[in-house]
Every structure is written in C-alpha cells, then in structure tokens.
Amino acid sequence: MGYTIGLIRGDGIGPEIVTEAKKVLDAAAEKYGHEFRYVEMLLGGASIDATGVPLTDETITEAKKCDAVLMGSIGGDAAVSPWYKLEPSKRPEAGLLGIRKALGLFANLRPAYLYKELNAACPLKEEIIGDGFDLVVVRELTGGLYFGARRTEVLNGKETATDTLVYNEDEIRRIAHQAFQIARKRRNKVTSVDKANVLDSSRLWRKVTAEVAKEYPEVTLENMLVDNCAMQLVRDPAQFDVILTENMFGDILSDEASMITGSIGMLSSASLNETSFGLYEPSHGSAPDIAGQGKANPIATILSAAMMLRYSLNLNTEADAVEEAVQKALTAGYRTPDIWSEGMKKVSTSEMGDKIAELL
Ligand code: NAD
C-alpha cells in the first residue's frame, strides 16, 4: 500500500539519524511491498535559517496532508547558537510546541525497554533488573498545570504566584481511551497514576478512567499514587505495562522511566492526536556536541519509525520486523560509541543503519 510520510530532519544530529531511519523504512517497504512517499519539511533551527521563523504555515499544511511525520531532534547549543539570541517565541523549541498544538497532539507515548545486551548501562541492581522491563508512559500533553491560568501578584504585601491544574472529563476520557487501546496491543494492563488523596483533578481523573475501563474488559486497570509510582519504577519496573497519567506527572515519570534504561540513544517517542496521525521522534535532543561526526546512535529514531508503522500506519508485522532487526543488530554486537563496551564492534551512525536495514 502507499503511505505519505513527512520527514523533519531537524538540527544537530537530526539529519544523520533521520537518514538512517528512512533507510530502514525503505528496507521495510521493499520487503513487505509498500510504497512510502516522503515529504520533507522544515522545523526548528533549520526553519529559522531558511525562513526566519521556527515553524511556517507551509510545514503545518504539509504535515496535515501526511499519514504521519517522522522527526529528528531540533535545537542547538544555547551557549553558542545564534538561534538563542532570538526572543523565546522565535527559538527552535517554539516550533515544536507550535506544531504539537497545530496538529492537536494530546497523547505522548514514551516506551522504556531494557535490552538485555545493554543491562550494563542500566543503573538498577541486577536483582531488580531480573528479566528486564518493557513499559510505556502515556502522558496527557495539552492540559493540566502547564496550560492552566497562572499569575504572580502581590497579596497582603507578599509576592505570590499561582498556577492552576485544570482537566475536564473529555480531556481525561480521550487520553484514557488512547492508553487502553495501546494496552490492548501490548500486555493488557493500565496503571493510572494520580494524586487522588489530595487533588480534585486527580479524583475526576480516577472516576473518568474507571468509566472508560468498562469499555475494555480485557484490560486490567490499577490506580497508583504518583509518589508511589516514582518509587515503584526503581523498585520493580517489570510490574508496569502502560502507565497513564496527566501532563506534569507524565513529564517527570517518563524521564525517570527513560533514565532507568541507561541509554538515551535508544528511546523512541510518539505524540498522537484523535485520528491515527502522529508525530514520531527520538526522546533525546539534537546532541550538538556530536553532530556531523557519525557518532550518533540512530536506534531511537529507527524505533520511533517502528512506532509510526504500528500506531499510524497500522503495519504491526512491519513494526515487529524493525524492532527485531534492532534486537538482532545488538545481539550481533554492533554498537555506536554511546552504548559501546569492551568486546563489542564499534560502528558509525550510517553503519548501524546499514546493519539494521540488512537484518530486516
Ligand atoms: P541531548 O539529548 O541532545 O544530549 C544529551 C547528551 O546525550 C549529549 O552528551 C549527547 O551527545 C548525548 N546524546 C543524545 N542523543 C544521542 C544519540 N542519539 N546518540 C549518542 N549520544 C546522544 O540534550 P541537550 O544537550 O540537553 O540538548 C541539546 C539540544 O536539543 C537543545 O537545544 C535542546 O533544547 C534540544 N532538545 C530537543 C528535543 C526535541 O527535539 N524534542 C528534546 C530534548 C532536547
């Protein structure tokens, strides 16, 4: 079948890692008889250099015409890059926030998976690692504390700051549906994380999530307080399948979950809207310190492409095949410098892409 995929190469290592992900997608297209058409678009620093702004209407219009968009990372080194002399709304990161908003991306998925070949990079003790873990954090991305009304004022002679955490039932319902649907493609368990012992927004979250759960009888729902979840992630991460949570809790927990894998160059992510459309990108940044040196690990971007196959194009067999090819490359001992250890074969960014495409 034919699909249209938007490609945002981005800044720093972005162009290098997107090239490798495209190589692997092309190999999958050839193997399974699909046609992937690519539409290149600009975002972030590259867009500022070409057009003066980090996000253009053209990029939004083009992205909306695609089945999904695959992106490298954007941004530069704030200490030296001229992009950071611009006012905040004109900097690279503003482009990312802008495109998420323009495309209505409300669900952020961040898987944390431990490859046994990379156990040594995991900061947890061996008895905790056990047979590894495989979880995904589903974070609400457009509501909550980061988007509620805020103000700083002088009250009773003291400077006072207020932020508000607002969720309505529809916002909770749509992200809960996403989490349950994802759990059905995985191990049928959702852990909904909140602070229902203190917050009204969490009590509503719990109520609506329980209602949604009734529509997915094959999926088990458990509730967990956020402070407990932060502990459980380092005590017994294997207990989790899908962690469903609001914006700020998800921001913090997804970073914790990625940290326990120990390998930032391996972690994919997706941001989805209410249709099957999604924006797929590695969890890491644009790594300007190693840009253009062939040292970047392309696996996070390749695994983001696998997520795109699974969640936006509904090509599950192809997604499995890409993930298996990554696994085989690691088992065969190929490592980019960030995950290299004694006795392994050190490869460059493009050699890693070649190996994974070959093994597909
Ligand atoms: P970073 O993730 O880019 O880099 C942190 C460290 O990890 C660096 O030492 C880097 O070399 C290394 N690293 C990251 N990805 C790697 C990979 N694939 N292979 C090997 N090593 C890798 O974080 P940072 O340095 O804080 O940020 C750099 C820029 O990226 C900033 O402009 C920041 O705003 C931007 N950023 C963008 C996104 C995004 O596009 N979604 C996310 C985070 C940071």
Side-chain angles (χ1 to χ4, degrees):
M1 267 185 72
Y3 300 92
T4 306
I5 298 171
L7 280 188
I8 295 174
R9 294 184 180 270
D11 309 315
I13 59 171
E16 298 166 64
I17 54 184
V18 169
T19 297
E20 301 316 309
K22 180 172 175 289
K23 199 183 269 176
V24 174
L25 282 172
D26 286 339
E30 199 184 321
K31 178 166 177 183
Y32 292 97
H34 301 300
E35 190 201 337
F36 294 151
R37 290 177 299 273
Y38 300 98
V39 180
E40 302 258 354
M41 48 195 82
L42 292 171
L43 186 78
S47 178
I48 296 173
D49 290 346
T51 70
V53 290
L55 171 64
T56 59
D57 290 342
E58 192 190 341
T59 289
I60 295 172
T61 309
E62 288 299 319
K64 282 183 176 166
K65 288 190 213 152
C66 296
D67 293 304
V69 174
L70 180 67
M71 186 180 123
S73 313
I74 54 138
D77 181 345
V80 294
S81 165
W83 300 327
Y84 296 89
K85 295 201 169 66
L86 301 167
E87 62 172 91
S89 66
K90 302 243 165 67
R91 292 179 191 171
E93 288 72 11
L96 189 55
L97 293 179
I99 198 167
R100 281 182 181 153
K101 190 161 179 227
L103 300 175
L105 305 172
F106 68 89
N108 183 234
L109 275 54
R110 276 182 55 182
Y113 178 80
L114 185 69
Y115 289 90
K116 67 177 184 324
E117 290 83 356
L118 302 180
N119 272 5
C122 175
L124 303 178
K125 285 185 189 152
E126 241 167 68
E127 63 259 36
I128 293 177
I129 297 174
D131 292 332
F133 51 87
D134 175 5
L135 62 91
V136 57
V137 179
V138 177
R139 164 189 171 196
E140 203 290 328
L141 207 54
T142 58
L145 203 55
Y146 298 171
F147 292 90
R150 76 193 77 234
R151 65 181 180 280
T152 303
E153 64 203 323
V154 177
L155 282 181
N156 301 324
K158 291 188 203 303
E159 204 175 11
T160 306
T162 308
D163 296 287
T164 44
L165 201 175
V166 185
Y167 271 108
N168 69 41
E169 56 179 305
D170 293 347
E171 291 170 313
I172 302 170
R173 195 166 286 116
R174 67 179 184 174
I175 188 78
H177 276 293
Q178 279 282 6
F180 282 94
Q181 281 160 23
I182 288 161
R184 279 206 305 214
K185 291 191 171 189
R186 294 172 48 95
R187 301 194 306 279
N188 286 318
K189 182 178 174 192
V190 170
T191 305
S192 177
V193 175
D194 60 39
K195 190 72 183 165
N197 52 344
V198 180
L199 301 175
D200 265 14
S201 56
S202 284
R203 286 189 274 268
L204 181 63
W205 186 277
R206 223 174 245 218
K207 183 176 151 219
V208 174
T209 305
E211 283 166 18
V212 172
K214 290 189 189 134
E215 295 178 44
Y216 302 87
E218 68 279 41
V219 180
T220 308
L221 168 67
E222 86 179 348
N223 293 297
M224 192 178 278
L225 295 175
V226 62
D227 38 352
N228 187 24
C229 183
M231 289 192 289
Q232 295 300 328
L233 271 171
V234 290
R235 203 191 65 84
D236 178 20
Q239 70 183 283
F240 296 110
D241 178 15
V242 175
I243 294 177
L244 160 67
T245 192
E246 61 93 51
N247 201 344
M248 181 180 62
F249 297 159
D251 190 6
I252 299 166
L253 293 175
S254 59
D255 266 12
E256 185 187 359
S258 46
M259 191 58 223
I260 57 173
T261 70
S263 338
I264 193 171
M266 305 286 300
L267 297 166
S268 54
S269 87
S271 302
L272 310 177
N273 68 14
E274 255 155 315
T275 69
S276 58
F277 180 89
L279 176 71
Y280 297 83
E281 54 175 319
S283 288
H284 58 72
S286 58
D289 53 332
I290 55 166
Q293 299 172 31
K295 288 183 185 166
N297 186 345
I299 292 179
T301 317
I302 291 169
L303 291 173
S304 301
M307 285 181 90
M308 176 180 80
L309 294 172
R310 190 181 309 283
Y311 293 116
S312 284
L313 310 188
N314 212 14
L315 299 174
N316 290 314
T317 308
E318 292 77 350
D320 288 345
V322 170
E323 287 167 3
E324 275 162 32
V326 168
Q327 175 73 64
K328 283 185 199 157
L330 293 175
T331 307
Y334 298 113
R335 302 281 190 277
T336 44
D338 57 312
I339 52 172
W340 181 83
S341 58
E342 210 53 50
M344 297 295 128
K345 297 165 209 157
K346 199 181 277 185
V347 292
S348 67
T349 309
S350 65
E351 285 166 340
M352 184 60 105
D354 288 343
K355 293 292 170 205
I356 295 170
E358 240 173 76
L359 288 164
L360 193 89

